Amino acid sequence: MESFNSDLHIHSPHSIAVSKNLNLDTMVETCKKKGLDILGTGDVLQPNWLKYLEKNLIKENDGSLSYKGVYFILQTEIEDQESVHQVVFFPNFSSVRDVQKKISSYSKNILDEWGGRPRVNLSPAELVDIITDYGAIIGPAHAFTPFKAIFRQNKFKTLEECYQDATKKVSFLELGLSANTDLADRLDCLKHITFLSNSDAHSESPRSLGREFNRLTMENPSFEEVVLAIEGKSRRKVNLNVGLHPKLGKYYNMFCNKCRRRILFKKTAKQGNSLFNQYAISDEFIKIITNDPIKSKQEYIENVAKERMTCPACKEKFTKNVKIKLGVSERIEVISTSRVPIHPEHRPSYINAVPLIDIIRSVKNIKSASSTTVMNAYNNIIEKLGTEFDIILNVPIEDIKKYDERVGFVIEAIRQDKIEYTPGGGGTYGQIKLSI
Ligand SMILES: [Zn+2]
Ligand SMILES: [Zn+2]
């Protein structure tokens, strides 16, 4: 049995807001730097992308598909009638074509230039039935994000509510960038399902591709083996989830739906302050001043869940009240069945990670993610010390410090979970706080 680092959900240039440079060659280049063995193809139902993949992917003897040393799983994301995003993996090109044909009468955009993530007029259960009839597997994408996700505010609270009779045919749940196993295992209804941590990358940048991945134990990188690993059968399994620290995700913290400011709580010594009427408002944050942040936050979340809280920053600008929306962490607080995570026995460890590009940016104090200085430093450290995953997870800290002391200190702090984060929210990524 071997281990395969696998990022199983990405997109193609046929989805909106995707880098034009994303293609098999640029993907493979990044996979080699990161240490990724298997990648989802993204958008496989889109006709042009499908043709491109059919022309370029090579079928190996074990049934896997490869391109220049990296393996690919035929994958797409579909939006159903309930605006829930679902990730799908297909066994082969003919099943992709069959599903494309079958669902095209339910979709206005599947055959379009921009149909990378098609929307279909089918209920979640109907979609699951069709997908599994063709030998493909399916599960909810970025399950807790405030938009287009199964557990978003005012939507479903359990898998059964969403998939009804088809629940048993759902193979996995994708955590999304703002959640991890500790958060998701607070929901009793998820104890039997396998979690996947995928990047949902819209670009070939090493900051995006592989920022989340799963380590699969399997015989070979074929679809059949991936299914066994996801189902935990025949000693195949997902043996590790690695992903962004949830606070680094774009939707961890609650936010105003209009101005996108994140809501934080700030302690004051003054007594008797729980009416949420004292704020410090900046460009990015609304800090609620209170003498008991924990209790106030709890109360505030309950009110946001009932759609009672309006944005104090938007009050003057708009006549209609603008509501605050729950982030991933607060939505989980509302629908969780336990205050602490209860990990089932089959659950692998989850490592909270930070992309190496972001670590380099922080120590060099450079804002731009595409800065040449940062990219050069990234390529140099990889050339010297090994793949990004090796550097983040395995290379001895002393060796990293010898190469770059400050990068070594940050990776040490991340590995020991001693780093502080400014939480992301409302579409803005979180950040690491450095005190070195
Ligand atoms: Zn999505
Ligand atoms: Zn606002």
Side-chain angles (χ1 to χ4, degrees), residues 376-396:
N376 287 342
Y378 177 80
N379 290 330
N380 289 341
I381 193 168
I382 276 170
E383 209 164 285
K384 207 84 190 166
L385 297 178
T387 66
E388 172 172 345
F389 296 157
D390 253 344
I391 295 170
I392 299 287
L393 305 174
N394 306 322
V395 172

Side-chain angles (χ1 to χ4, degrees), residues 145-288:
T145 50
F147 303 103
K148 312 281 185 185
I150 177 172
F151 295 133
R152 69 183 185 270
Q153 195 170 347
N154 292 332
K155 208 64 194 178
F156 306 110
K157 290 192 187 74
T158 64
L159 292 171
E160 284 76 12
E161 263 184 41
C162 174
Y163 296 107
Q164 306 186 0
D165 289 351
T167 306
K168 281 207 164 65
K169 295 191 204 169
V170 177
S171 302
F172 58 85
L173 173 140
E174 184 183 79
L175 293 167
L177 305 183
S178 306
N180 63 8
T181 304
D182 277 348
L183 287 164
D185 272 335
R186 290 180 54 196
L187 276 72
D188 185 62
C189 70
L190 303 182
K191 65 183 170 201
H192 297 302
I193 202 154
T194 296
F195 293 156
L196 292 182
S197 38
N198 300 315
S199 72
D200 200 351
H202 286 219
S203 134
E204 72 289 355
S205 155
R207 193 174 169 234
S208 197
L209 205 70
R211 59 191 163 183
E212 306 225 335
F213 68 94
N214 316 273
R215 190 169 284 165
L216 309 182
T217 305
M218 313 182 285
E219 280 294 342
N220 64 55
S222 65
F223 169 82
E224 286 71 23
E225 288 284 317
V226 169
V227 173
L228 287 175
I230 288 174
E231 291 175 348
K233 288 182 180 155
S234 311
R235 295 192 300 119
R236 275 74 167 170
K237 61 186 172 194
V238 178
N239 74 51
L240 180 70
N241 293 111
V242 180
L244 294 190
H245 190 288
K247 286 185 177 173
L248 291 176
K250 285 194 281 191
Y251 294 107
Y252 181 84
N253 204 91
M254 53 192 156
F255 61 99
C256 163
N257 205 12
K258 195 96 190 167
C259 68
R260 299 287 170 134
R261 285 180 174 91
R262 283 158 270 176
I263 312 291
L264 298 176
F265 291 79
K266 197 173 157 53
K267 195 174 168 64
T268 172
K270 269 198 222 151
Q271 287 299 305
N273 225 331
S274 67
L275 297 168
F276 315 128
N277 57 2
Q278 280 207 38
Y279 313 99
I281 298 174
S282 65
D283 283 351
E284 292 189 285
F285 301 100
I286 295 165
K287 287 185 181 159
I288 296 173

Side-chain angles (χ1 to χ4, degrees), residues 9 11 77 85 117 141-142 148 200:
H9 174 190
H11 285 277
E77 184 180 36
H85 283 184
R117 184 206 294 111
H142 43 75
K148 312 281 185 185
D200 200 351

Side-chain angles (χ1 to χ4, degrees), residues 35-51:
L36 268 177
D37 307 303
I38 304 178
L39 201 58
T41 58
D43 301 357
V44 72
L45 290 168
Q46 200 284 332
N48 303 351
W49 191 243
L50 173 56
K51 256 188 230 153

Side-chain angles (χ1 to χ4, degrees), residues 6 14 33 52 122 125 135 141-142 149 222 238 252 260 266 271 307 326 344 375 386:
S6 316
H14 299 281
K33 288 180 189 172
Y52 170 71
L122 291 162
H142 43 75
S222 65
V238 178
Y252 181 84
R260 299 287 170 134
K266 197 173 157 53
Q271 287 299 305
E307 308 236 309
L326 296 173
M375 282 314 294

